[in-house]
C-alpha cells in the first residue's frame, strides 16, 4: 500500500461522509477530521519523510489536490445546507396570502363632487376659468340684474328661501356668479361656476339644496352657433361621442334666445324607454344667449359684445348616469350609499 | 292646458297628424304632448228614458224604461237624477266598464238589461254625481264611444313658459301652428245685434284695469249646454255646469279671454271697478270669505264686492238655474296686481293664470261677442242683447321694433335676409315690413308683454327658422387666467388627501335646526331662514360639526359604528362665509391580521385617537407646505378640553380638532370616543372686489408660502446623541423641542423616543438628536461641548430641567 492509495482512500471516505452530512455541525466535524491540524491528511503526510524528494513532491501534489477537493466538497455542501435551512425558515414563516389585508381602506368620493369635477375639468380644458360666489346672495344679483324683476312670473319658477338679512336670499341658482364676474371683469370672459343652490322644494326628485354649474362666455362675435358647438362638445365628453343634442327654444329671463338642451337617451338610443319616458330625449340643461338687459345691468355694451350662458343641475346628471332613484340619498351621508361608488 | 286637436283644426286647415304637430311645437319652443282621449268601449249606446218608477221592493233603486229607437231596455239604477226624456249612455250587456263586464242582473224580481253611465264610469272624471245626462240635441241609438270620440280624439297638452301667455288658448295655438307650417289661420267674425235699451251703469275707478266691457243680455234660459260644448269642455278637463257658465269657460279656452257672468238681477245699483278697501270682505264662488287689501282690484255694486277682478266671481251675484238676465263681463286687468292678489290669497283660477301671463286687450270685444253669440244661440229664443259699455281709456298703441340683419347675424350666427325675416314675423301675425337694413314690426297686443326689443324678435326668427338645423361652430376661447383654478385645484387636492387616507366624503344640507345646537351648548347661528321648510332646516349652519354629528347618527341607525367622514362646505355668518373641511372619526380605521415570529396570527385594530387625528391633520398641513403651527387647548363647548386643540398658523386660528365632550356625546347619543375637527379653507366674501386671501385660512397660507430653493446636499455625516431630561409635568414636549431646536445651529433633527413619569410631578423625556455641521465632520469632543452649551441654555429657559444619566 502506498501513501497515494491511502490519500485516495481518505478522499473517498471524506466524500462519502460529506454526502451523508445533514448539517453544518457534521461538516465542521468532517473538516476537522480530514483537514485539521491533527487531521487524517496531516497524519498521512507525517510519513512523507521516508520518501525520496521526487516521491515527496509527487505525493505532496496529490495531497494538496485532495485537500482542495475535500474543501470544495465541504463548501458546496455547506452552501447547499444553508439554502435548505433558509428554505425551511421561509416556509416556516409563510403567510396565507388570502388573509384580510392590513392597511387603510381608501375613502370614497361623493358622486356629486366627482361629477362636478369631471364637468369643470372639461371646461377648463376648453379654456374656461373657475369663478365663485357666496351662497347667501344679494337679491338683486340673484334676480333683478338677471332680468327677473319683482312680480315677474319667472320668480315663481324658483321658490326662494328668504333670510333674516334684508336684501339677501339663499341663491336659487349659480347665475348670480355671472353678474359678479361681469361686474369685476372686462370681456373676454370665459368662466364656469360650480356650487350649491337652494330652492324651497322637497320630494324624490327635488331637495331644498342641490348643485349647479354655471357657464358664461362673453366676447365679440359669440353666436348661437358657438353655444351649440360648445355644449355639443361638452355633452359628448360626458355622455359619449355618439350623443346627439337638441336645442329647444325655451324661456329664461336672463337669456334671449333661450334653450332647453336635450341629449339623445343613451338607454334606448333615442327609441324611447322608461328612463326618457318614451321621448328618446333627456332634458339636461338650460342655456341661451345673454340677454341685453343683463349686459346693460353690468355695464357691458350689448351692441359690442355678445355671449352665451348655461346652467346645469349636477344631481340630474348623476342620477341619470348612475341610475339613482331618489335625490335625497345624496345628502343622508349613509355609508351604505356612499361606499357603493 | 289640454285641448282636443280637432278644436285647433277649426282655426287652421292642417292635414298633419297631432303627433307631427306636437313634435314641431316642441322644436320651436312650446312644450307639448299628445294623448288619446279615453279608450274605445264597445256596446255603449245612447238611449232616451221613457219612464222612471221606484223599485217596489228595493229602497233607493229605480226601474227605468229606455229606448234606442228600436229596442226598449229595462234598466235598474240607483241614480236619482234620471228623469223621463233624459238622454243617457247605456252600457249594454257585454260592455266592459272599468274591467267589469256588464251582465243581466236581478234586483229583487226585476232584471236590469245594462247600466246607465256616469262620467266617472267612463273614466272621464274622478267623481261624478249621478248618471251623465246628455243634452237634448244628442242623437239616440248611436254608438256612444264614437259619439264621444273615445279612443280616437287626440288631445294636445301645452305647458307654457311664462312669456307665452298668447299660446294658452285654442286660437293662439292655431296661430302658432299656422306659423310653423306656413298655413294661414282662419277665423269666423261675429255678427251680433246690440240694442241700446239698457246700458249697464259701470264706472272705472282704478288704473289697474285697462279695459272693462259689460254686456247685458235679457231672458236667458239656464240649462245644460249643447253636446258639442259639453264634449269640448270634458275633453279639455273641465266639468260642464250650465250653458252660461260653460260658454264663459269655452271662450276662455278658445280665445284666452276670461269672462264672467253676473246675475244682473242680483246686482244692486251702480257697478264700480275699483281698488278694494283694506279689510273689505268678499264671499267668493269657492265658498270662502276673503279679507281684501287696497292692492286688490274688485268689481263692486252698492252693497259691496261682487267679484275679485280677474280671479274669481262672488257668491252673491252668481248665475243659477233661476237666472233670467245676465251681465257678461270681459276685462283686462294689470297682471302684476292679479299676481300679487292671487298669491296672497292663494287662489289660482284659469282666469288668474291667464291674466298673470298677459291677455290680448285688442281682441277682447270679439272674444266676448263670440260668447254672446253662443249664449243667444244656446240660451233661448227670447234673449236680446240689451246694451253694452266698453271702457277703454288708453287704446293699445303697437310698439314699433326694428330688426337689423346685422343683429340676426351677430346673435344667431347665420345670414338671414330681411325678406325672410319679414316673412317669418308675418307668419306669426306680427305685421312686418322690410326697411333698408332689416325690418320693422308693429307688435300686436297679444305679444305685447313678450316682444319688446329687437332681441325678442331675433328669437322669433331663429325659432321658426329652426335653431336645431343651424350648424354649430366652436368659439375661440381666450386663454384662462388661472385666477380661481388654483383654489379649485387646492380644494381637489384637499379632497384627494382625505380620501386617500381613508376618509369618506359626504355632502349634507347647509340647513340646521335648533335642537342640535342646544345639545352642543352652542349659540344659534346668525342666519335664519324666515320661510324654512321644517324646524330642522331653520338656520344656515355656522360650523360643520353639527352636520357631521347628524351623519354619524344616521349611520348608527344602520348599525354602522366605525365611521370616518369629511365634508367640504360653506358655513355662514352675518357678513361673510367660509369654506371649511370638517372631519368626524370614530372607531377602528385599520382592522386586520398580523403575523408574528412565533407564528401566531392575531387580529389587530387601530382606533382613531387624538394622536392619529393629529397626525392626519399634521400631514395634511405638511402637504400644503404649512409645517409651522401651534396647538392650544380648545374651549369649544362640545369638546373634551383635555383632548382637543385649536390650531394656529402665523398666530391665526385656522381650525381645531379633538374628542367630543362625554356629556354632549351622551345627549346626542353618539360614541364618546368620537373625534371631530374643522379646518378653515377659504374666506368667501359677499362684497365685490374684496380680497379673499384673508388671514386664518389655509388657502391663504398655501398661496403665500415661499417657494423653497435648493440647498447643497450635505457632504459630512450627521452624528446621533441621545439625551434624557427630567422636567416638571407642566412642561410640554413641544416646549422642549422648540427650545432644543433654538439652542444650537448644529441640531438637524430631534425625535422623541421615550417619556415616562418619575413621580406625580416629574417626568423624563428622552430624545435622540442628530447633529450635523455642513462645513466639516464633527468630532466627539465638539459634540460634547455643543451638548453642554445646549443643556445650559435649556436650563435657563425651562425651570426645573435637569439632564439625566
Ligand atoms: Zn330612452
Amino acid at each position: 500500500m502506498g501513501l497515494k492509495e491511502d490519500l485516495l482512500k481518505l478522499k473517498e471516505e471524506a466524500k462519502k461522509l460529506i454526502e451523508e452530512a445533514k448539517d453544518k455541525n457534521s461538516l465542521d466535524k468532517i473538516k476537522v477530521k480530514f483537514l485539521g491540524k491533527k487531521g487524517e491528511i496531516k497524519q498521512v503526510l507525517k510519513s512523507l519523510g521516508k520518501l525520496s524528494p521526487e516521491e515527496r513532491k509527487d505525493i505532496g501534489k496529490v495531497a494538496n489536490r485532495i485537500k482542495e477537493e475535500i474543501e470544495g466538497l465541504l463548501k458546496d455542501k455547506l452552501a447547499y445546507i444553508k439554502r435548505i435551512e433558509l428554505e425551511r425558515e421561509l416556509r416556516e414563516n409563510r403567510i396565507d396570502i388570502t388573509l384580510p389585508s392590513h392597511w387603510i381602506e381608501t375613502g370614497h368620493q361623493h358622486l356629486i363632487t366627482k361629477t362636478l369635477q369631471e364637468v369643470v375639468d372639461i371646461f377648463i380644458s376648453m379654456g374656461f376659468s373657475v369663478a365663485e360666489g357666496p351662497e347667501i346672495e344679494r337679491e338683486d344679483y340673484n334676480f333683478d340684474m338677471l332680468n327677473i324683476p319683482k312680480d315677474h312670473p319667472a320668480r315663481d319658477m324658483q321658490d326662494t328661501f328668504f333670510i333674516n338679512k334684508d336684501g339677501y336670499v339663499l341663491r336659487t341658482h349659480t347665475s348670480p356668479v355671472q353678474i359678479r364676474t361681469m361686474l369685476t371683469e372686462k370681456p373676454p370672459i370665459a368662466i364656469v361656476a360650480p356650487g350649491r343652490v337652494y330652492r324651497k322644494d322637497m320630494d324624490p326628485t327635488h331637495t331644498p339644496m342641490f348643485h349647479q354649474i354655471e357657464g358664461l362666455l362673453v366676447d365679440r362675435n359669440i353666436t348661437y352657433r358657438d353655444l351649440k358647438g360648445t355644449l355639443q362638445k361638452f355633452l359628448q365628453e360626458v355622455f359619449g361621442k355618439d350623443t346627439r343634442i337638441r336645442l329647444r327654444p325655451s324661456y329664461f329671463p336672463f337669456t334671449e334666445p333661450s334653450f332647453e338642451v336635450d341629449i339623445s337617451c343613451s338607454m334606448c338610443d333615442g327609441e324611447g324607454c322608461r328612463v326618457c319616458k318614451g321621448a328618446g330625449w333627456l332634458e339636461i340643461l338650460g342655456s341661451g344667449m345673454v340677454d341685453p338687459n343683463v349686459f346693460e345691468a353690468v355695464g357691458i355694451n350689448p351692441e359690442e359684445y355678445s355671449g352665451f350662458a348655461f346652467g346645469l343641475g349636477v344631481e340630474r346628471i348623476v342620477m341619470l348616469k348612475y341610475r339613482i332613484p331618489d335625490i335625497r340619498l345624496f345628502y343622508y351621508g349613509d355609508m351604505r350609499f356612499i361606499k357603493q361608488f | 292646458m289640454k285641448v282636443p286637436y280637432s278644436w285647433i283644426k277649426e282655426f287652421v286647415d292642417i292635414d298633419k297628424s297631432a303627433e307631427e304637430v306636437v313634435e314641431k311645437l316642441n322644436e320651436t319652443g312650446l312644450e307639448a304632448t299628445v294623448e288619446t282621449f279615453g279608450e274605445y268601449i264597445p256596446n255603449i249606446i245612447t238611449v232616451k228614458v221613457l219612464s222612471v218608477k221606484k223599485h217596489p221592493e228595493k229602497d233607493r233603486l229605480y226601474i227605468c224604461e229606455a229606448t234606442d229607437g228600436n229596442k226598449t231596455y229595462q234598466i235598474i239604477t240607483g241614480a236619482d237624477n234620471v228623469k223621463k226624456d233624459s238622454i243617457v249612455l247605456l252600457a249594454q250587456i257585454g260592455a266592459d266598464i272599468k274591467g267589469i263586464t256588464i251582465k243581466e242582473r236581478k234586483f229583487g224580481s226585476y232584471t236590469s238589461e245594462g247600466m246607465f253611465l256616469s262620467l266617472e264610469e267612463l273614466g272621464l272624471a274622478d267623481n261624478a254625481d249621478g248618471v251623465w245626462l246628455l243634452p237634448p240635441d244628442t242623437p239616440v241609438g248611436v254608438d256612444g264611444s264614437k259619439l264621444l270620440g273615445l279612443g280616437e280624439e287626440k288631445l294636445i297638452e301645452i305647458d307654457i313658459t311664462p312669456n307665452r301667455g298668447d299660446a294658452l288658448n285654442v286660437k293662439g295655438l292655431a296661430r302658432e301652428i299656422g306659423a310653423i307650417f306656413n298655413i294661414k289661420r282662419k277665423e269666423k267674425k261675429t255678427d251680433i245685434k246690440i240694442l241700446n235699451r239698457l246700458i249697464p251703469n259701470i264706472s272705472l275707478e282704478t288704473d289697474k284695469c285697462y279695459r272693462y266691457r259689460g254686456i247685458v243680455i235679457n231672458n236667458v234660459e239656464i240649462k245644460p249646454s249643447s253636446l258639442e260644448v259639453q264634449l269640448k269642455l270634458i275633453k279639455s278637463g273641465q266639468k260642464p255646469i250650465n250653458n252660461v257658465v260653460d260658454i264663459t269657460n269655452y271662450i276662455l279656452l278658445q280665445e284666452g279671454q276670461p269672462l264672467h257672468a253676473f246675475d244682473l238681477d242680483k246686482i244692486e245699483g251702480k257697478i264700480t271697478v275699483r281698488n278694494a278697501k283694506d279689510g273689505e270682505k268678499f264671499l267668493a264662488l269657492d265658498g270662502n270669505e276673503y279679507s281684501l287689501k287696497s292692492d286688490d282690484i274688485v268689481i263692486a255694486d252698492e252693497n259691496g264686492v261682487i267679484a275679485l277682478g280677474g280671479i274669481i266671481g262672488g257668491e252673491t251675484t252668481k248665475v243659477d238655474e233661476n237666472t233670467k238676465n245676465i251681465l257678461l263681463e270681459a276685462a283686462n286687468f294689470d297682471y302684476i296686481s292679479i299676481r300679487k292678489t292671487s298669491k296672497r290669497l292663494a287662489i289660482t283660477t284659469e282666469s288668474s293664470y291667464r291674466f298673470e301671463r298677459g291677455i290680448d286687450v285688442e281682441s277682447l270685444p270679439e272674444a266676448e261677442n263670440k260668447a254672446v253669440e253662443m249664449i243667444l244661440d244656446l240660451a233661448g229664443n227670447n234673449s236680446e242683447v240689451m246694451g253694452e259699455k266698453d271702457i277703454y281709456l288708453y287704446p293699445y298703441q303697437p310698439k314699433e321694433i326694428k330688426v337689423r340683419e346685422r343683429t340676426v347675424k351677430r346673435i344667431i350666427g347665420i345670414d338671414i335676409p330681411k325678406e325672410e325675416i319679414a316673412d317669418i314675423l308675418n307668419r306669426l301675425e306680427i305685421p312686418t315690413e322690410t326697411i333698408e337694413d332689416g325690418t320693422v314690426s308693429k307688435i300686436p297686443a297679444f305679444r305685447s308683454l313678450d316682444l319688446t326689443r329687437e332681441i325678442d324678435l331675433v328669437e322669433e326668427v331663429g325659432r321658426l327658422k329652426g335653431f336645431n338645423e343651424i350648424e354649430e361652430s366652436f368659439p375661440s376661447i381666450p386663454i384662462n387666467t388661472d385666477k380661481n383654478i388654483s383654489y379649485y385645484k387646492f380644494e381637489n387636492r384637499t379632497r384627494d388627501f382625505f380620501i386617500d387616507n381613508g376618509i369618506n366624503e359626504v355632502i349634507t344640507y347647509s340647513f340646521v335646526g335648533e335642537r342640535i345646537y342646544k345639545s352642543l351648548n352652542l349659540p344659534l347661528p346668525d342666519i335664519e331662514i324666515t320661510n324654512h321648510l321644517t324646524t330642522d332646516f331653520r338656520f344656515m349652519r355656522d360650523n360643520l360639526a353639527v352636520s357631521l354629528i347628524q351623519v354619524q347618527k344616521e349611520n348608527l341607525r344602520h348599525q354602522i359604528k366605525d365611521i370616518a367622514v369629511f365634508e367640504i362646505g360653506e358655513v355662514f355668518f352675518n357678513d361673510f362665509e367660509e369654506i371649511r373641511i370638517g372631519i368626524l372619526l370614530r372607531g377602528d380605521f385599520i382592522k386586520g391580521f398580523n403575523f408574528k415570529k412565533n407564528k401566531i396570527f392575531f387580529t389587530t385594530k387601530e382606533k382613531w385617537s387624538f394622536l392619529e387625528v393629529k397626525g392626519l391633520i399634521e400631514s395634511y398641513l405638511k402637504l400644503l407646505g404649512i409645517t409651522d403651527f401651534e396647538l392650544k387647548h380648545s374651549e369649544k363647548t362640545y369638546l373634551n378640553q383635555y383632548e382637543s386643540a385649536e390650531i394656529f398658523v402665523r398666530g391665526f386660528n385656522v381650525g381645531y380638532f379633538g374628542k367630543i365632550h362625554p356629556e354632549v356625546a351622551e345627549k346626542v347619543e353618539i360614541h364618546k370616543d368620537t373625534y371631530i375637527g374643522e379646518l378653515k379653507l377659504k374666506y368667501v366674501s359677499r362684497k365685490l372686489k374684496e380680497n379673499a386671501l384673508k388671514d386664518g385660512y389655509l388657502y391663504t397660507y398655501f398661496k403665500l408660502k415661499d417657494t423653497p430653493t435648493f440647498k447643497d446636499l450635505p457632504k459630512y455625516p450627521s452624528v446621533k446623541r441621545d439625551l434624557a431630561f427630567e422636567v416638571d409635568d407642566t412642561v410640554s414636549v413641544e416646549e422642549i423641542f422648540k427650545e432644543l431646536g433654538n439652542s444650537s445651529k448644529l441640531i438637524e433633527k430631534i425625535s422623541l423616543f421615550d417619556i415616562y413619569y418619575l413621580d406625580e410631578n416629574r417626568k423624563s423625556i428622552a430624545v435622540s438628536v442628530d447633529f450635523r455641521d455642513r462645513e466639516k465632520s464633527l468630532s466627539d469632543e465638539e459634540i460634547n461641548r455643543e451638548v453642554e452649551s445646549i443643556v445650559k441654555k435649556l436650563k435657563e429657559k425651562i425651570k426645573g430641567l435637569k439632564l439625566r444619566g
Side-chain angles (χ1 to χ4, degrees), chain B residues 75 77 343 467:
Chain B
I75 306 295
T77 182
K343 225 180 158 181
F467 273 115

Side-chain angles (χ1 to χ4, degrees), chain A residues 264-282:
Chain A
S264 51
C265 177
S266 56
M267 300 300 139
C268 62
D269 207 27
E271 293 295 309
C273 68
R274 221 166 44 96
V275 175
C276 59
K277 296 192 184 90
W281 295 96
L282 294 164

Side-chain angles (χ1 to χ4, degrees), chain A residues 181-245:
Chain A
T181 309
M182 288 191 283
L183 283 174
T184 48
E185 283 171 43
K186 291 198 175 356
I189 291 169
I191 53 134
V192 281
R196 297 184 187 202
V197 300
Y198 303 89
R199 288 183 202 174
K200 205 178 164 182
D201 225 340
M202 185 77 145
D203 63 44
T205 52
H206 297 90
T207 42
M209 180 191 92
F210 57 100
H211 294 74
Q212 274 191 343
I213 297 173
E214 189 80 7
L216 175 71
L217 177 66
V218 180
D219 202 352
R220 293 189 174 89
N221 304 317
I222 298 295
T223 72
Y224 159 77
R225 297 175 57 202
D226 298 321
L227 165 68
K228 189 179 177 187
T230 306
L231 292 180
Q232 181 161 307
K233 195 168 163 183
F234 155 62
L235 290 169
Q236 287 179 342
E237 288 271 347
V238 177
F239 292 100
K241 288 275 164 275
D242 300 328
T243 306
R244 283 164 292 126
I245 75 163

Side-chain angles (χ1 to χ4, degrees), chain B residues 609-651:
Chain B
S609 74
F610 182 86
L611 292 182
E612 261 90 20
V613 180
K614 182 182 170 187
L616 177 75
I617 287 173
E618 210 167 72
S619 78
Y620 168 61
L621 293 177
K622 190 177 168 218
L623 179 83
L624 305 183
I626 301 168
T627 46
D628 195 11
F629 61 88
E630 240 186 307
L631 298 182
K632 289 179 189 162
H633 278 281
S634 175
E635 285 168 9
K636 293 236 152 41
T637 52
Y638 52 92
L639 296 180
N640 170 350
Q641 58 169 311
Y642 299 103
E643 267 190 68
S644 61
E646 298 285 337
I647 310 164
F648 291 84
V649 174
R650 300 191 190 190

Side-chain angles (χ1 to χ4, degrees), chain B residues 565-758:
Chain B
V565 289
F566 78 91
E567 175 171 14
I568 297 175
E570 284 200 7
V571 297
F572 304 85
F573 302 97
N574 219 341
D575 296 313
F576 66 100
E577 292 158 30
E578 282 175 8
I579 303 176
R580 289 189 186 177
I581 180 166
I583 53 177
L584 184 143
L585 308 159
R586 191 269 151 189
D588 301 338
F589 68 99
I590 296 182
K591 262 184 257 191
F593 288 85
N594 218 339
F595 178 75
K596 287 281 160 169
K597 194 77 183 166
N598 59 12
K599 296 175 212 166
I600 292 173
F601 292 106
F602 63 95
T603 312
T604 64
K605 282 183 182 171
E606 307 218 5
K607 286 186 182 306
W608 288 107
S609 74
F610 182 86
L611 292 182
E612 261 90 20
V613 180
K614 182 182 170 187
L616 177 75
I617 287 173
E618 210 167 72
S619 78
Y620 168 61
L621 293 177
K622 190 177 168 218
L623 179 83
L624 305 183
I626 301 168
T627 46
D628 195 11
F629 61 88
E630 240 186 307
L631 298 182
K632 289 179 189 162
H633 278 281
S634 175
E635 285 168 9
K636 293 236 152 41
T637 52
Y638 52 92
L639 296 180
N640 170 350
Q641 58 169 311
Y642 299 103
E643 267 190 68
S644 61
E646 298 285 337
I647 310 164
F648 291 84
V649 174
R650 300 191 190 190
F652 290 90
N653 185 294
V654 296
Y656 70 90
F657 65 94
K659 199 177 197 173
I660 191 122
H661 195 285
E663 277 172 16
V664 170
E666 204 163 302
K667 233 191 296 179
V668 297
E669 296 173 314
I670 58 171
H671 292 101
K672 287 178 183 159
D673 55 349
T674 298
Y675 291 84
I676 299 177
E678 282 182 72
L679 295 168
K680 289 149 71 177
L681 300 182
K682 188 169 186 284
Y683 179 82
V684 179
S685 173
R686 291 190 198 118
K687 296 187 197 117
L688 291 177
K689 295 173 185 174
E690 186 182 23
N691 184 11
L693 287 183
K694 288 229 187 294
D695 258 315
Y697 296 91
L698 295 179
Y699 177 61
T700 304
Y701 300 127
F702 172 74
K703 284 286 272 190
L704 297 180
K705 78 162 186 247
D706 300 325
T707 309
T709 51
F710 176 74
K711 288 188 205 78
D712 284 336
L713 302 180
K715 290 191 192 87
Y716 302 98
S718 66
V719 183
K720 203 182 276 290
R721 276 296 164 89
D722 291 346
L723 301 172
F725 303 103
E726 186 186 321
V727 289
D728 289 342
D729 183 33
T730 49
V731 178
S732 71
V733 170
E734 183 169 326
E735 220 170 312
I736 290 176
F737 272 46
K738 208 169 103 190
E739 295 305 339
L740 252 177
N742 291 338
S743 66
S744 163
K745 280 183 182 150
L746 298 180
I747 293 182
E748 193 178 63
K749 196 174 124 195
I750 309 162
S751 36
L752 179 75
F753 71 84
D754 193 18
I755 179 164
Y756 66 92
Y757 282 81
L758 302 162

Side-chain angles (χ1 to χ4, degrees), chain B residues 410-604:
Chain B
R410 222 165 57 80
I411 300 297
I412 301 181
I414 56 166
D415 287 306
I416 302 180
K418 58 189 178 186
E419 291 74 20
E420 193 180 348
I421 298 172
D423 174 58
I424 288 173
L425 294 175
N426 279 313
R427 269 155 57 189
L428 285 161
E429 297 180 32
I430 302 164
T432 303
E433 287 167 15
T434 56
I435 51 171
E436 201 193 335
D437 59 346
T439 61
V440 60
S441 307
K442 284 192 165 70
I443 305 304
F446 61 84
R447 295 296 296 273
S448 61
L449 288 180
D450 176 27
L451 306 178
T452 59
R453 305 162 304 165
E454 182 184 27
I455 190 72
D456 301 325
L457 291 178
V458 170
E459 176 176 37
E460 293 302 294
V461 171
R463 206 161 70 74
L464 286 203
K465 176 86 183 164
F467 273 115
N468 252 318
E469 314 308 319
I470 298 169
E471 210 170 307
E472 71 274 9
S473 62
F474 198 74
S476 61
I477 294 168
I479 298 306
N480 51 31
T481 51
D482 184 52
K483 219 178 15 179
N484 281 309
I485 293 179
S486 67
Y487 173 72
Y488 170 72
K489 285 183 179 159
F490 168 88
E491 193 182 292
N492 288 351
R493 189 67 189 89
T494 298
R495 181 177 288 111
D496 288 347
F497 172 86
F498 285 93
I499 291 168
D500 292 350
N501 281 287
I503 328 288
N504 297 290
E505 185 179 25
V506 294
I507 299 176
T508 62
Y509 293 119
S510 311
F511 315 113
V512 286
E514 191 173 352
R515 229 175 335 159
I516 185 83
Y517 271 76
K518 283 257 164 73
S519 307
L520 267 58
N521 306 318
L522 284 173
L524 292 174
D526 291 350
I527 305 290
E528 180 176 358
I529 299 166
T530 47
N531 58 338
H532 51 265
L533 274 174
T534 72
T535 51
D536 282 340
F537 284 5
R538 193 174 134 199
F539 296 96
M540 295 302 277
R541 64 186 175 193
D542 59 5
N543 68 74
L544 297 178
V546 286
S547 301
L548 294 176
I549 286 172
Q550 293 178 73
V551 166
Q552 186 183 14
K553 281 170 69 71
E554 170 71 17
N555 281 287
L556 279 172
R557 290 206 306 132
H558 308 300
Q559 289 77 48
I560 298 166
K561 292 173 183 162
D562 296 331
I563 191 158
V565 289
F566 78 91
E567 175 171 14
I568 297 175
E570 284 200 7
V571 297
F572 304 85
F573 302 97
N574 219 341
D575 296 313
F576 66 100
E577 292 158 30
E578 282 175 8
I579 303 176
R580 289 189 186 177
I581 180 166
I583 53 177
L584 184 143
L585 308 159
R586 191 269 151 189
D588 301 338
F589 68 99
I590 296 182
K591 262 184 257 191
F593 288 85
N594 218 339
F595 178 75
K596 287 281 160 169
K597 194 77 183 166
N598 59 12
K599 296 175 212 166
I600 292 173
F601 292 106
F602 63 95
T603 312
T604 64

